[in-house]
Amino acid sequence: MTPGLRTCLFDEAQLAVLLDSMAEHCAGLLRGRQRVAVIGIRRRGAPLADLLTERLQAVHGMTPPLRLDLLVKRYADDLTLLHPETQLTEEAQHAALDLSGYTLLVVDDVLYSGHSILKVVNYLVQKQPAAIRMAVLVERAGRCLPLAADVVGTRLEIAPPDIIECHVPPFESDFRIELLQPGRAPPPDGQDHV
């Protein structure tokens, strides 16, 4: 775990409200579409896609969509550059997948620089979908590319070197969004801000 001052920006109850709002906006974008695929960007975008899909079906009466996940990697969780080029790993079952005519909803936890999303969009365009929509839990200031999400849980104006961490089960035990400030020491009592 990266050392520094941690502040909880959204707890589980607050995130449930954000997801409900996101699902409502997604339902509006997808209404009337016959073929829909919900695509999570692994890691944390996959369980978020599951949570949105559950709400779309239970609350908005959507027919179960095709659910896929894509593995895309550029940065580690602490924003350390892992790969100079964004890497998207195509799984064997996706290679021959026919998405022509589908409306795709791509789900991720944080939209920051835009490199990962661009890689995903370029890959998915080759599958000839009818439309590609993007939903993110957090849109963070600092995009390098002219990309924007269609559905955003929250927008955060956080300057580098601070880090937005989305804790999403099953990868973490609790569901929350934290601000990590690596250059600042935690309070003397050892407790993180909540």
Side-chain angles (χ1 to χ4, degrees):
M1 183 179 281
T2 305
L5 178 64
R6 292 178 179 276
T7 306
C8 179
L9 301 179
F10 292 88
D11 63 20
E12 187 166 354
Q14 293 166 318
L15 288 175
V17 172
L18 284 183
L19 283 173
D20 289 342
S21 176
M22 290 176 68
E24 184 174 341
H25 286 100
C26 289
L29 288 173
L30 301 174
R31 193 164 287 120
R33 306 293 180 157
Q34 297 301 312
R35 295 191 293 173
V36 173
V38 178
I39 301 172
I41 298 179
R42 290 200 312 240
R43 294 191 341 153
R44 290 167 185 84
L48 289 171
D50 289 337
L51 292 171
L52 276 176
T53 300
E54 289 169 11
R55 284 167 166 80
L56 287 167
Q57 291 177 243
V59 178
H60 301 281
M62 186 171 131
T63 303
L66 177 63
R67 262 292 285 119
L68 308 168
D69 293 325
L70 294 176
L71 179 58
V72 181
K73 205 65 171 160
R74 181 175 172 88
Y75 298 100
D77 292 337
D78 65 357
L79 300 182
T80 305
L81 187 65
L82 292 176
H83 308 287
E85 301 276 331
T86 304
Q87 294 188 345
L88 185 149
T89 304
E90 182 178 55
E91 296 179 24
Q93 69 266 28
H94 295 162
L97 191 61
D98 181 10
L99 293 176
S100 59
Y102 274 80
T103 296
L104 310 180
L105 178 66
V106 178
V107 181
D108 204 2
D109 58 343
V110 179
L111 174 56
Y112 183 27
S113 69
H115 287 96
S116 296
I117 296 303
L118 182 61
K119 190 72 162 188
V120 167
V121 168
N122 285 339
Y123 169 76
L124 292 173
V125 163
Q126 298 172 37
K127 302 285 185 183
Q128 299 181 337
I132 301 174
R133 302 288 184 219
M134 179 72 195
V136 295
L137 187 59
V138 177
E139 185 175 73
R140 179 183 169 162
R143 276 178 310 192
C144 303
L145 302 171
L147 298 169
D150 299 287
V151 176
V152 175
T154 186
R155 286 182 173 83
L156 298 175
E157 298 289 329
I158 306 296
D162 295 346
I163 298 168
I164 295 296
E165 288 186 352
C166 291
H167 294 231
V168 182
F171 300 109
E172 289 82 22
S173 60
D174 56 341
F175 189 26
R176 61 195 278 155
I177 298 174
E178 288 187 348
L179 170 65
L180 170 60
Q181 296 172 294
R184 296 185 57 193
D189 62 6
Q191 297 295 314
D192 294 337
H193 287 149
V194 179

